[in-house]
Amino acid sequence: MEPRGTQSQRRKRLEQEQRSSREGNTEVRRAPDLVQWTQHLEAVKRRLLEEAQGQLVELLDRAMWEAIQSYPSQDRSLPSTPPKPLNKTQEPPLGKRKVFVIRKSLLDELMEVQHFRTIYHMFAAGLCVFIISTLAIDFIDEGRLMLEFDLLIFSFGQLPLALVTWIPMLLSTLLVPYQVLWMWTRPQARGTWKLGIGLGCVLLAAHTAVLCVLPIHVAVKHQLPPASRCVLVFEQVRLLMKSYSFLRETVPGALLAKGGEGLWAPSFSSYLYFLFCPTLLFRESYPRTSSVRWNYVAKNFAQALCCVLYACFILGRLCVPVFANMSREPFSTRALVLSILHATLPGILMLLLIFFAFLHCWLNAFAEMLRFGDRMFYRDWWNSTSFSNYYRTWNVVVHDWLYSYVYQDGLWLLGGRARRAAMMGVFLVSAVAHEYIFCFVLGFFYPVMLMLFLVFGGLLNFTMNDRHTGPAWNVLMWTLLFLGQGIQVSLYCQEWYARRHCPLPQTTFWGLVTPRSWSCHPRG
């Protein structure tokens, strides 16, 4: 029989073991709660950091605005007080305006990293493979080594006519908007000023008619090929957007000047610089670099030319053999689906080439020649995990214009409410503009871009928003980009060849707007 003290010690040990096992079970039960609570805190931390970053950006923009305002201009003295909250009858706050600063393009910074430069070398190697493939096929079929550029020559046919048409478009933009502003800002009697308002509106209507009607007339009358049409339509849209930005930024100041708050108009040299610098937002001055690197200019123009050749090889080797005779074969769903999947690779390659050739090479070349300091023409759109972020970062130049003059002005007109309505207005304007460009370049109306951009793009913008993060969402975005480009390339190529294989017996309105590829198939 054990002593009483030993029994009490054993009971105490048993009670301690039972208590520790109960606490262990409680900790096991609490472990999932602790993991969920930690994840919740991590999500809260991310949201707080994002909000703090947004607030910090606004504070820095405001500080830069105040620094710019404290520096007097040569033509006029700027106000020293920051913008105040405005009501609906006033202009949108200046604190929301884009601030231009000297910065390099993102790809220029990434090209300094050897690992990223290797990706550039891989694309260059792909161009070499296309050239070798073309030479090999030509040697096997024709017994000669010769690079033929039939597609390139066809696409840029009648280019001198397009350039001659561009001259009156440029002269109209160069003279009319600035002359109208000068008429509205010079001192004159009240009755004469009203007459100047009417005359200015007539001049602006004539200027708009020249930009809108002249290129369409020349393209339709002379049947310009696609690349020459690209020159006209891009310049048409660019000059219209620049004209609007110049008047939107200066006319309110002119009207305030007539109210007795001081007379002001920008110099003609600042307007002339704005017409050629790579931005669509007018400012009296922009940050400038100290010198021009002409070797950098030549390099970017050479890369843009190589991208054009690259695109011709892609179309000639991956698209023309597939779609040239597709309209002559019986229609089948299987053939349509296979053509879309086949077109995903050339489609995404064309997207990357357009981005690199225009948004990087072309804009950086002009920025360097004009010593334009702000080279942020795009952001890291390839890292996007949502389509809302992709639309903001793909083309910053156009996005800034849409944000400033469609979204912000729309909110101002709506009294700061209905942000979704203002966002849908941005999508509508952008979708119509993209569809108009495709219609102008290809010479026919086939609203593939309109449906993809406005309907599917609008839905994806609201469903795949910035709340979604992680690599899976980036993979999903790229997958949808591949499929979207495949749909565009496939359907537009089919329609292009169908309109050549099945011309209309007589021209009618419905015949022009009805897709020909739907009916241009022999019955199987």
Side-chain angles (χ1 to χ4, degrees), residues 22-92:
R22 286 195 300 269
E23 291 175 354
N25 293 333
T26 304
E27 290 178 358
V28 170
R29 288 194 301 270
R30 290 180 179 177
D33 297 336
L34 181 60
V35 172
Q36 294 177 0
W37 180 247
T38 304
Q39 293 175 350
H40 173 70
L41 291 178
E42 288 289 340
V44 171
K45 183 182 74 173
R46 284 196 299 269
R47 287 198 298 269
L48 289 176
L49 288 176
E50 291 174 358
E51 294 178 0
Q53 183 181 5
Q55 294 293 331
L56 180 60
V57 169
E58 291 184 2
L59 289 174
L60 290 176
D61 288 344
R62 187 178 181 87
M64 292 179 65
W65 183 89
E66 292 176 350
I68 294 171
Q69 298 294 66
S70 64
Y71 185 82
S73 174
Q74 295 180 356
D75 300 325
R76 66 185 180 108
S77 59
L78 298 175
S80 58
T81 58
K84 298 179 180 180
L86 302 175
N87 55 37
K88 187 176 177 180
T89 61
Q90 295 174 301
E91 288 297 306

Side-chain angles (χ1 to χ4, degrees), residues 212 215-216 219 228-230 232-233 236 435-444:
C212 293
I216 297 177
S228 298
R229 290 180 177 233
C230 275
L232 284 182
V233 72
Q236 178 192 46
E435 181 59 37
Y436 167 74
I437 291 173
F438 270 74
C439 180
F440 190 103
V441 172
L442 298 175
F444 56 81

Side-chain angles (χ1 to χ4, degrees), residues 231-399:
V231 174
L232 284 182
V233 72
F234 286 153
E235 283 301 294
Q236 178 192 46
V237 174
R238 183 182 73 90
L239 294 176
L240 282 170
M241 295 173 77
K242 282 184 176 280
S243 299
Y244 182 86
S245 176
F246 174 73
L247 295 173
R248 174 63 184 82
E249 297 290 340
T250 56
V251 167
L255 297 179
L256 288 176
K258 288 301 175 183
E261 298 189 16
L263 189 63
W264 166 79
S267 63
F268 183 75
S269 61
S270 64
Y271 177 61
L272 179 63
Y273 181 84
F274 166 65
L275 286 184
F276 291 95
C277 71
T279 181
L280 297 174
L281 303 181
F282 174 76
R283 300 289 186 268
E284 289 182 79
S285 62
Y286 301 92
R288 309 280 288 274
T289 57
S290 57
S291 61
V292 178
R293 299 170 294 170
W294 290 107
N295 58 340
Y296 180 79
V297 175
K299 175 186 174 183
N300 278 289
F301 278 133
Q303 290 181 140
L305 178 60
C306 289
C307 288
V308 174
L309 295 176
Y310 210 149
C312 287
F313 282 123
I314 290 174
L315 290 174
R317 291 299 170 202
L318 300 181
C319 293
V320 173
V322 176
F323 298 103
N325 297 314
M326 191 172 177
S327 60
R328 295 175 177 174
E329 300 174 357
F331 173 79
S332 67
T333 305
R334 178 180 180 275
L336 176 63
V337 172
L338 289 179
S339 69
I340 291 176
L341 295 177
H342 175 86
T344 54
L345 178 59
I348 203 67
L349 289 176
M350 295 288 290
L351 179 73
L352 296 176
L353 287 174
I354 291 172
F355 159 73
F356 185 72
F358 180 71
L359 291 176
H360 180 76
C361 297
W362 189 262
L363 295 184
N364 269 293
F366 273 89
E368 187 67 28
M369 287 191 296
L370 297 173
R371 297 193 294 115
F372 185 79
D374 197 334
R375 312 286 175 89
M376 194 184 69
F377 308 126
Y378 53 88
R379 296 190 181 97
D380 58 336
W381 58 269
W382 48 86
N383 290 328
S384 299
T385 57
S386 65
F387 271 87
S388 57
N389 184 70
Y390 169 75
Y391 291 136
R392 290 194 302 266
T393 55
W394 159 259
N395 188 342
V396 174
V397 179
V398 173
H399 170 266

